[in-house]
Amino acid sequence: MHPIEIQRHSAAHLVAAAVMELYPESLLGIGPVVENGFFYDIEFGTPVSEADLKAIEARAQHLQKQDQKFIREELPIDEAIALFSKMGQGYKVELLQDLKTRGTTKMSADELQDVGGAVDQVSIYRTGDFVDLCRGPHVEHSRQIGPFTLNKLAGAYWRGKEGNPQLQRIYGVCFATPKELADYLFMIEEAKKRDHRKIGRELGLFVFSDLVGPGLPLFTHKGMRLRTAIQNFVRELQEPLGYEEVWTPHLTRMDLYVVSGHAAKFTDDLFRIPSSSTHGTPAAGEVAASKENDESESAEYAVKPMNCPHHTQIYKSETRSYRDLPFRTADFSTLYRNEKPGQLQGLTRVRSLTQDDAHAFIREDQIENEVSLVLGLIKKILDTFALSFRVRLSLRDPLTPEKYLGGEAVWNKAEAVLEGLLKKFALPFEAVRGEAAFYGPKMDFMARDSLGREWQLSTIQLDFNLPERFDLKYVDAEGKEMRPVMIHRALTGSVERFLGIIIEHYAGAFPVWLAPVQVKILPVADRHQDFAVSLGTRLRGRGVRFEVDGSKETVGKKIRNAEKEKVPYMLVVGDKEMDGGALTVRRRGEPEQFTKSFAEFVEGVAAEIKERT
Amino acid sequence: MHPIEIQRHSAAHLVAAAVMELYPESLLGIGPVVENGFFYDIEFGTPVSEADLKAIEARAQHLQKQDQKFIREELPIDEAIALFSKMGQGYKVELLQDLKTRGTTKMSADELQDVGGAVDQVSIYRTGDFVDLCRGPHVEHSRQIGPFTLNKLAGAYWRGKEGNPQLQRIYGVCFATPKELADYLFMIEEAKKRDHRKIGRELGLFVFSDLVGPGLPLFTHKGMRLRTAIQNFVRELQEPLGYEEVWTPHLTRMDLYVVSGHAAKFTDDLFRIPSSSTHGTPAAGEVAASKENDESESAEYAVKPMNCPHHTQIYKSETRSYRDLPFRTADFSTLYRNEKPGQLQGLTRVRSLTQDDAHAFIREDQIENEVSLVLGLIKKILDTFALSFRVRLSLRDPLTPEKYLGGEAVWNKAEAVLEGLLKKFALPFEAVRGEAAFYGPKMDFMARDSLGREWQLSTIQLDFNLPERFDLKYVDAEGKEMRPVMIHRALTGSVERFLGIIIEHYAGAFPVWLAPVQVKILPVADRHQDFAVSLGTRLRGRGVRFEVDGSKETVGKKIRNAEKEKVPYMLVVGDKEMDGGALTVRRRGEPEQFTKSFAEFVEGVAAEIKERT
């Protein structure tokens, strides 16, 4: 256990001790360490509320200051059972009995805490009067525990199993120093304020509908402008490199995924349409003459969870020569994955995801050049969004080369090329042996947002498998049939998840090029409305997204509303402006206004949009 | 019966008579009139082939020239049964027995021919030795029949019912004058040459894959460029009018269509995902706290066949004031309809259709202005594609006002407005009473392509129903809640079907602004390749789509290939051009080449693109 984890787990004991002092009738469940802190599951005589956490926290911190000793004792398991039975701690007794019969208290492999060890000897820890069944280790005395606070109350089934009694879960966070705790709490507060679901509602970017279903956001015109701005940015970068958009349907026969191998691997994630609903007969009494119409099908369909198999069908529709490669396809199709409703979250975990997906079909000798192009794209994009990043390079396990498809020479070369490129681009990376898929090495880009949180975004994946499965070929200079390599890549990942991330990254105050409304025009009175609209039309002519506030509010109120909407520029329009005077301009978040001619203003905004600053 | 239909039906008798002369053992089915001609279903002793049609046609035309009389006789039904039994014409006997017992020979309401009439008396027609059971009328003598020809042989089940014996169906076309027949045959020949499936393959625009399934085309990058050009044209026109694109998912709970009413009406056309496959449980053992995660759903889903219900959910996500209307949403989502495989045809009948769909939520007093905007859009678009059109205006049946939703006053006003606008725009139209849906009047635009064929394209539909069903509201100036009206509109219809139509309309030779490749650069030798690419990059900078022919062919062959690909402009690039000389330009279909400076050339192309000429 890492020292800070020992402190966190010890803090959990103090919390349990405090609870037993304040609510002696409580029954204790388990209290493991989690990221940044710990929790403890407890059955209170009468359920407590968020408000009660303060008193529990105060009591636990008081115990901490008393510098209590953590005393370990070992005792035979039957003695421990007797001890906890006497204390009336039925859950602990249950754990001990489990341990005695099964040698572990874990119900499943991913359970967080295991008090197991030797089966006939167990350890307990005492802190003052408090006793807990625990494998340890712990701090020696409570002053060694860093500052902690209780921050959340939730419900939890005993041992995570529905049907079991429902306990209350007290979450705490604990850090080595007060500064670290304060930074973390600030970040959490800030993250709450920036929650993209909250900002999305406030700025009117997207909505959910019970009739449409969970995980399926609908984007308003403002949300759509964000989607389009991001996708057009990707287009603008990738088109000159030879990426060509294609269009593939959202529905497909399962046959496609049987050949690709996804049918077996992806089963639970697929939205499937059973074959019974897709029968058909020829039309109008005539016996179908053409093959196209002869289809009286009984096929299972699926809503597509990925584009790559479709792209192989386009590649395969013509004979390709070595001169035609790289053959690059890009696709902004929306993909659908049957995520469990409980795992959905705003835009960051959805059922409908629109990747900036692309595939390059290349010769082996083109791997370096192609990956180099993609690295350039990714760097440009993450830099533009002011996201720093590090790369995780997933390589083969060199001890089991037989597990991998594609041949040893190709792998050796491909891995060396990828590592070489990361060095050449001077990107921070970590090479992880044994993490590659059987079909090829890959790079994942971990981006850090303005709150210091990490998100996996871009990805580059080599694939020696799909070309085999779909029997893809090209003809080389000698007329010989060769197997191409595929590269899968996504730049921002999915536009939905990326939007969720950058809404929080920018706290909704998007740079001008992204902002759904770039300029808000605020007429002082009704008589300035037409002039405001005509200004807007001129702005639109220069590709600037505008809105006129035609409400009956005062200018002051209109300015406050535009600030709330986080619009980068405001133009206040009154008699003076209508009479040909300079424009009165306000910048988001700046108290002073300034004046500019229309030409000067629009040039400035257009430049900001073009430069994406 | 129209005179030309009488001639066509009489021609069918001549064909049957000819068949009985040439193949006396044949059994005759039925021989009704169809568009442009007729067919006759016949069971031959040994099936005939397309090649045999020539002889049958010659014999029938010979009979026509003999100026045979068509003689009508009436006789009791039992006598007719005896007559056809004696002739061994079992199908005719079956028809007569049907007539005797059921009073009709029709199996279904849409059957083409009915020899019924009085039940105990039937009519037969004699032409020379040939006798046919027939209600008539016919020409008096065969020289009154216009010129005809036999053009197609197909299979058909007796009376259109699978399981019945399979007959051969001989199709003929017949017109009043030789010129009309020649024009029609030329059009048919031309339509075959222009078949969009053939051109689509030749130009590499789209492909089908057995693994993906019928009716689900995949668009290559060239096909995608066409889709994008059309959609961007629509965007460019509709955006300044206040149409804002939104994004809605391709999947939805059936609940949405239960409320909209489509679940009941559209059942067979929906791709449905049964509820069993979409269960879910909360994550990680924790009891779900938020509503979002509380969803342990068991809901049926569908792939969306239309966007309107989704758009109501965006409208409804905020309170709308009278000042917010019109509220306009546009959507280029692809829709999926479970068409029977037998009815699919290339791009013109598909399962995946991408409409240029939009909805306007308006006040009643805004109907005129809004429809006027849409009429302007449609006219602009159809004019740009050089498609003439007429309008079909579907109105209420004034005798049954109780059948219609929305109230009499609104209907009266709306219908008057629509008719008034068509007159104001001076559009040719036909008002059809009783053809409106119960929820609102509509206009359909019938466009005529370069071969004179009519296609239903654009549509404007008023809707008083969905606002009711979804309980949509706006707040009027007095603070009262009011019901908005919805307008559904599509301009080109679906981009797939529209593409199928315009590929044939232009025979693949698209105007410059549409062409997937606008300029093809043809380097004379390998040493000119880099210069060719650099020219291309300069063209791309001006928004021109180019391709470099990097093959090892001769320039002559490269020119012929570019002509085959129907590229509007070719640039031949050799030493002279590389040394800074003027460009050598060829225009599609023109034998001479001419020279132009790069600046002059690119200005010209850019202007053609911008003007969409």
Side-chain angles (χ1 to χ4, degrees):
Chain A
M1 240 186 195
H2 191 275
I4 185 65
E5 289 181 321
I6 294 174
Q7 294 179 47
R8 285 169 180 158
H9 184 45
S10 300
H13 274 231
L14 295 184
V15 170
V19 165
M20 292 315 294
E21 287 185 20
L22 296 170
Y23 307 91
E25 77 285 20
S26 301
L27 297 180
L28 300 177
I30 57 166
V33 168
V34 292
E35 203 186 350
N36 303 310
F38 57 87
F39 68 72
Y40 215 115
D41 285 349
I42 299 169
E43 185 177 325
F44 291 88
T46 314
V48 296
S49 69
E50 288 270 357
D52 300 316
L53 290 187
K54 267 280 141 263
I56 296 170
E57 177 184 292
R59 190 70 209 158
Q61 285 168 346
H62 175 75
L63 293 174
Q64 180 195 22
K65 282 196 199 97
Q66 290 180 333
D67 207 16
Q68 306 237 9
K69 288 224 158 7
F70 278 75
I71 301 158
R72 182 188 174 95
E73 281 177 29
E74 305 230 339
L75 67 171
I77 195 158
D78 289 323
E79 261 179 54
I81 291 174
L83 174 68
F84 284 100
S85 298
K86 209 178 102 200
M87 290 158 60
Q89 290 294 344
Y91 294 122
K92 299 288 180 188
V93 173
E94 187 182 327
L95 290 176
L96 283 163
Q97 259 146 4
D98 245 39
L99 189 58
K100 190 174 165 185
T101 51
R102 294 173 46 233
T104 175
T105 63
K106 283 202 184 188
M107 301 268 294
S108 63
D110 60 348
E111 206 164 286
L112 292 164
Q113 195 182 32
D114 188 355
V115 295
V119 184
D120 24 60
Q121 197 75 2
V122 296
S123 58
I124 59 171
Y125 275 85
R126 293 184 184 273
T127 347
D129 296 337
F130 178 71
V131 188
D132 204 348
L133 173 67
C134 187
R135 198 161 52 166
H138 276 285
V139 294
E140 286 167 11
H141 47 89
S142 59
R143 289 227 178 187
Q144 291 170 335
I145 302 173
F148 64 88
T149 183
L150 304 184
N151 61 335
K152 191 179 150 196
L153 185 67
Y157 294 108
W158 167 234
R159 306 179 97 173
K161 210 179 139 198
E162 221 173 323
N164 274 354
Q166 198 178 314
L167 312 182
Q168 286 188 289
R169 176 170 294 178
I170 297 176
Y171 280 98
V173 290
C174 173
F175 285 87
T177 65
K179 168 150 188 359
E180 280 173 76
L181 178 63
D183 284 353
Y184 176 78
L185 292 176
F186 174 79
M187 191 273 282
I188 292 298
E189 262 328 289
E190 193 56 30
K192 259 188 220 160
K193 275 190 228 152
R194 293 173 176 226
D195 186 323
H196 72 276
R197 291 167 295 189
K198 184 170 149 278
I199 294 181
R201 217 167 20 242
E202 286 164 4
L203 301 187
L205 302 178
F206 56 91
V207 299
F208 286 92
S209 156
D210 287 343
L211 292 176
V212 174
L216 297 168
L218 293 84
F219 288 81
T220 64
H221 71 277
K222 287 189 188 168
M224 182 65 179
R225 287 173 177 185
L226 280 167
R227 290 176 67 106
T228 306
I230 292 167
Q231 292 182 338
N232 282 347
F233 179 32
V234 170
R235 287 188 171 107
E236 190 184 305
L237 292 180
Q238 75 185 8
E239 273 173 14
L241 303 186
Y243 283 90
E244 291 273 9
E245 269 179 75
V246 297
W247 190 94
T248 55
H250 303 82
L251 263 192
T252 181
R253 282 189 170 171
M254 277 297 287
D255 298 354
L256 186 71
Y257 296 124
V258 170
V259 176
S260 72
H262 293 110
K265 267 203 322 203
F266 245 77
T267 316
D268 286 348
D269 293 328
L270 284 174
F271 286 104
R272 303 167 81 127
I273 293 146
S275 57
S276 55
S277 63
T278 55
H279 284 289
T281 51
E286 188 178 302
V287 180
S290 70
K291 167 136 178 47
E292 183 184 37
N293 293 333
D294 193 25
E295 207 89 48
S296 86
E297 68 166 350
S298 168
E300 190 185 5
Y301 280 75
V303 187
K304 78 170 160 187
M306 58 200 16
N307 296 311
C308 32
H310 280 93
H311 289 196
T312 66
Q313 298 306 290
I314 291 179
Y315 179 87
K316 228 187 148 161
S317 68
E318 282 187 35
T319 307
R320 308 290 171 188
S321 124
Y322 70 104
R323 297 170 76 103
D324 299 331
L325 305 192
F327 178 82
R328 303 181 184 93
T329 52
D331 203 327
F332 289 98
S333 276
T334 304
L335 309 173
Y336 289 84
R337 298 184 184 168
N338 194 358
E339 303 280 353
K340 291 187 176 140
Q343 304 191 321
L344 298 171
Q345 193 172 36
L347 297 183
T348 45
R349 195 79 182 262
V350 286
R351 284 174 156 182
S352 52
L353 48 146
T354 313
Q355 292 183 343
D356 51 1
D357 200 10
H359 299 97
F361 300 80
I362 59 172
R363 306 189 304 257
E364 279 178 19
D365 63 87
Q366 293 173 321
I367 293 176
E368 177 157 8
N369 189 53
E370 195 63 24
V371 173
S372 176
L373 286 182
V374 180
L375 277 178
L377 280 177
I378 291 174
K379 192 165 153 35
K380 173 75 186 160
I381 283 181
L382 298 183
D383 284 354
T384 301
F385 286 98
L387 294 161
S388 65
F389 63 95
R390 62 188 179 89
V391 184
R392 199 171 163 86
L393 173 63
S394 298
L395 303 173
R396 204 175 31 151
D397 180 351
L399 301 177
T400 54
E402 71 284 357
K403 278 177 33 192
Y404 299 88
L405 208 84
E408 188 135 19
V410 182
W411 271 88
N412 285 340
K413 195 168 162 218
E415 293 189 346
V417 159
L418 297 188
E419 198 155 343
L421 283 171
L422 287 170
K423 284 176 184 154
K424 188 176 148 198
F425 275 76
L427 300 179
F429 77 98
E430 172 191 17
V432 194
R433 296 241 155 248
E435 235 197 26
F438 73 94
Y439 54 85
K442 68 168 175 173
M443 296 180 183
D444 290 312
F445 292 72
M446 315 297 294
R448 187 175 288 277
D449 72 11
S450 59
L451 293 184
R453 295 173 300 180
E454 271 202 339
W455 304 91
Q456 192 193 309
L457 289 179
S458 327
T459 180
I460 309 176
Q461 166 88 56
L462 265 58
D463 184 352
F464 308 124
N465 180 39
L466 283 190
E468 285 286 331
R469 282 185 166 266
F470 283 103
D471 193 22
L472 306 183
K473 292 167 188 157
Y474 69 88
V475 181
D476 74 5
E478 282 75 46
K480 222 173 78 191
E481 285 192 342
M482 301 289 288
R483 191 72 82 206
V485 175
M486 265 178 93
I487 294 183
H488 310 249
R489 67 111 248 241
L491 304 176
T492 59
S494 88
V495 76
E496 289 82 6
R497 184 158 168 278
F498 189 69
L499 261 177
I501 292 167
I502 64 166
I503 287 172
E504 301 191 2
H505 177 58
Y506 291 120
F510 301 106
V512 177
W513 73 272
L514 261 182
V517 177
Q518 296 165 323
V519 177
K520 188 128 184 181
I521 309 175
L522 316 176
V524 174
D526 265 358
R527 67 178 179 282
H528 309 119
Q529 173 76 13
D530 288 347
F531 177 65
V533 171
S534 76
L535 267 186
T537 307
R538 286 168 70 193
L539 287 173
R540 185 201 285 120
R542 291 296 304 271
V544 177
R545 298 186 287 266
F546 75 100
E547 218 171 64
V548 173
D549 184 345
S551 71
K552 299 205 172 291
E553 306 290 352
T554 63
V555 172
K557 184 74 198 275
K558 285 180 180 181
I559 291 172
R560 286 193 296 282
N561 283 343
E563 283 285 353
K564 262 195 222 160
E565 292 160 15
K566 312 207 173 171
V567 178
Y569 286 107
M570 289 156 255
L571 294 178
V572 181
V573 166
D575 289 335
K576 193 166 58 71
E577 287 77 10
M578 244 173 92
D579 292 344
L583 296 178
T584 304
V585 185
R586 298 183 75 98
R587 226 188 176 300
R588 175 179 60 201
E590 293 176 6
E592 326 71 41
Q593 53 193 35
F594 48 95
T595 56
K596 270 194 176 173
S597 72
F598 179 82
E600 210 183 342
F601 173 71
V602 81
E603 287 308 327
V605 175
E608 277 188 89
I609 293 172
K610 186 155 183 281
E611 304 299 327
R612 296 199 169 85
T613 48
Chain B
M1 240 186 193
H2 191 275
I4 185 64
E5 288 180 321
I6 295 174
Q7 293 179 46
R8 285 169 181 159
H9 185 45
S10 300
H13 274 232
L14 295 184
V15 169
V19 164
M20 293 315 295
E21 286 186 19
L22 296 171
Y23 307 90
E25 76 286 18
S26 301
L27 298 180
L28 300 177
I30 57 167
V33 168
V34 293
E35 204 188 349
N36 302 311
F38 57 88
F39 68 72
Y40 215 116
D41 285 349
I42 298 168
E43 185 178 325
F44 290 88
T46 315
V48 295
S49 69
E50 288 269 357
D52 299 317
L53 291 188
K54 268 278 142 267
I56 297 170
E57 178 184 292
R59 189 74 209 154
Q61 285 168 346
H62 175 76
L63 293 175
Q64 181 195 22
K65 280 195 200 100
Q66 290 178 333
D67 207 18
Q68 307 236 7
K69 287 222 159 7
F70 278 76
I71 299 158
R72 181 188 175 94
E73 282 176 29
E74 306 228 340
L75 66 173
I77 194 157
D78 289 323
E79 262 180 49
I81 290 174
L83 174 68
F84 285 100
S85 297
K86 209 178 102 198
M87 289 160 61
Q89 290 293 344
Y91 294 122
K92 299 289 180 187
V93 173
E94 187 182 327
L95 291 175
L96 282 163
Q97 257 146 3
D98 246 38
L99 190 59
K100 190 174 166 185
T101 52
R102 294 173 46 233
T104 176
T105 64
K106 283 202 185 188
M107 303 265 294
S108 64
D110 59 348
E111 207 164 285
L112 292 163
Q113 196 183 30
D114 188 355
V115 296
V119 185
D120 24 62
Q121 197 77 359
V122 296
S123 58
I124 59 170
Y125 274 85
R126 294 183 185 273
T127 347
D129 295 337
F130 178 70
V131 188
D132 204 349
L133 172 68
C134 187
R135 197 160 55 166
H138 278 283
V139 295
E140 286 168 11
H141 46 88
S142 59
R143 290 230 176 184
Q144 290 170 336
I145 302 173
F148 64 87
T149 183
L150 303 186
N151 62 335
K152 191 178 151 197
L153 185 67
Y157 295 108
W158 166 234
R159 306 179 97 173
K161 211 179 136 193
E162 221 173 322
N164 273 355
Q166 199 178 313
L167 312 181
Q168 286 189 290
R169 176 170 293 178
I170 296 176
Y171 280 98
V173 290
C174 172
F175 285 87
T177 67
K179 169 149 189 358
E180 280 173 77
L181 178 63
D183 284 352
Y184 176 78
L185 292 176
F186 173 78
M187 191 273 282
I188 293 297
E189 261 329 288
E190 192 56 30
K192 260 189 220 159
K193 276 191 227 152
R194 293 173 176 224
D195 187 322
H196 73 275
R197 291 167 296 188
K198 184 171 148 277
I199 294 181
R201 223 174 5 251
E202 287 164 3
L203 301 187
L205 302 178
F206 56 90
V207 299
F208 286 92
S209 156
D210 287 343
L211 293 176
V212 174
L216 297 167
L218 294 82
F219 288 82
T220 65
H221 71 277
K222 287 189 187 169
M224 183 65 179
R225 288 173 178 185
L226 280 166
R227 291 176 67 105
T228 306
I230 293 167
Q231 290 181 339
N232 282 347
F233 179 33
V234 169
R235 286 189 172 107
E236 190 183 307
L237 292 180
Q238 75 185 8
E239 273 173 14
L241 302 186
Y243 282 90
E244 292 273 8
E245 270 179 75
V246 297
W247 189 95
T248 56
H250 303 81
L251 264 191
T252 181
R253 283 189 169 170
M254 277 296 286
D255 297 353
L256 186 70
Y257 296 125
V258 170
V259 175
S260 73
H262 293 111
K265 267 204 323 202
F266 244 78
T267 316
D268 286 348
D269 292 328
L270 284 174
F271 286 104
R272 302 167 82 127
I273 294 147
S275 58
S276 55
S277 64
T278 54
H279 283 290
T281 51
E286 189 177 301
V287 180
S290 69
K291 168 136 179 48
E292 182 183 37
N293 294 332
D294 192 23
E295 207 92 45
S296 85
E297 67 168 348
S298 169
E300 189 185 5
Y301 280 75
V303 187
K304 77 171 160 187
M306 57 198 20
N307 296 311
C308 33
H310 281 92
H311 289 197
T312 67
Q313 298 305 290
I314 291 179
Y315 179 88
K316 228 187 148 164
S317 67
E318 282 186 37
T319 307
R320 309 288 172 188
S321 123
Y322 70 103
R323 297 171 75 104
D324 299 331
L325 305 193
F327 178 82
R328 303 180 183 95
T329 53
D331 204 326
F332 290 98
S333 276
T334 303
L335 310 173
Y336 290 83
R337 297 185 185 168
N338 194 358
E339 302 280 354
K340 290 185 177 143
Q343 305 191 319
L344 298 171
Q345 192 172 35
L347 297 183
T348 45
R349 195 80 182 263
V350 285
R351 284 174 156 181
S352 51
L353 49 145
T354 313
Q355 293 183 342
D356 51 1
D357 200 9
H359 299 98
F361 300 79
I362 60 173
R363 307 188 303 258
E364 277 177 21
D365 63 88
Q366 294 173 321
I367 294 176
E368 177 157 7
N369 189 54
E370 196 63 25
V371 173
S372 177
L373 286 181
V374 180
L375 277 178
L377 281 177
I378 291 174
K379 193 167 152 35
K380 173 77 187 159
I381 283 181
L382 298 183
D383 284 354
T384 301
F385 287 97
L387 293 161
S388 64
F389 63 95
R390 61 189 179 89
V391 184
R392 200 171 163 85
L393 173 63
S394 298
L395 304 173
R396 206 175 28 153
D397 179 351
L399 301 176
T400 54
E402 71 284 358
K403 278 177 32 193
Y404 299 88
L405 208 81
E408 188 135 20
V410 182
W411 270 88
N412 285 340
K413 196 170 160 214
E415 293 189 344
V417 160
L418 297 187
E419 196 155 345
L421 282 171
L422 287 170
K423 285 177 184 154
K424 188 176 146 198
F425 276 76
L427 301 179
F429 75 99
E430 173 190 17
V432 195
R433 295 242 155 247
E435 235 195 27
F438 73 93
Y439 54 85
K442 67 169 175 173
M443 296 179 182
D444 291 311
F445 292 73
M446 315 297 294
R448 187 174 288 276
D449 72 11
S450 59
L451 293 184
R453 296 172 301 180
E454 270 201 340
W455 304 91
Q456 192 193 309
L457 289 179
S458 328
T459 180
I460 310 176
Q461 166 88 57
L462 264 59
D463 184 352
F464 308 123
N465 180 38
L466 284 190
E468 285 286 330
R469 282 185 165 265
F470 284 102
D471 193 22
L472 306 183
K473 291 166 189 157
Y474 69 88
V475 180
D476 75 4
E478 282 75 47
K480 223 174 78 193
E481 284 192 341
M482 301 289 287
R483 190 73 80 205
V485 174
M486 266 178 92
I487 293 183
H488 310 249
R489 67 112 247 239
L491 304 176
T492 59
S494 87
V495 76
E496 290 82 5
R497 185 159 167 277
F498 189 69
L499 261 176
I501 292 166
I502 63 165
I503 288 172
E504 301 191 3
H505 177 58
Y506 291 120
F510 301 106
V512 177
W513 74 272
L514 260 182
V517 178
Q518 295 165 324
V519 177
K520 188 127 185 181
I521 309 175
L522 316 177
V524 174
D526 265 359
R527 67 179 179 283
H528 309 117
Q529 173 77 11
D530 288 349
F531 178 67
V533 171
S534 75
L535 268 186
T537 307
R538 287 168 70 193
L539 286 173
R540 185 199 288 119
R542 291 297 304 270
V544 178
R545 298 185 288 265
F546 75 99
E547 218 170 64
V548 173
D549 184 344
S551 71
K552 299 206 172 289
E553 305 291 351
T554 63
V555 172
K557 183 77 197 276
K558 285 180 180 181
I559 291 171
R560 287 193 296 281
N561 283 343
E563 283 285 353
K564 261 195 223 159
E565 292 161 14
K566 312 206 174 174
V567 177
Y569 286 106
M570 289 155 255
L571 293 178
V572 182
V573 166
D575 289 334
K576 191 166 58 73
E577 287 78 10
M578 244 173 90
D579 292 344
L583 296 179
T584 304
V585 184
R586 298 183 74 98
R587 225 187 177 302
R588 176 179 61 201
E590 293 176 6
E592 326 70 43
Q593 53 192 36
F594 48 95
T595 56
K596 268 193 177 175
S597 72
F598 179 83
E600 210 183 344
F601 173 71
V602 81
E603 288 308 327
V605 175
E608 278 188 88
I609 294 172
K610 187 156 183 280
E611 304 299 327
R612 296 200 169 84
T613 49

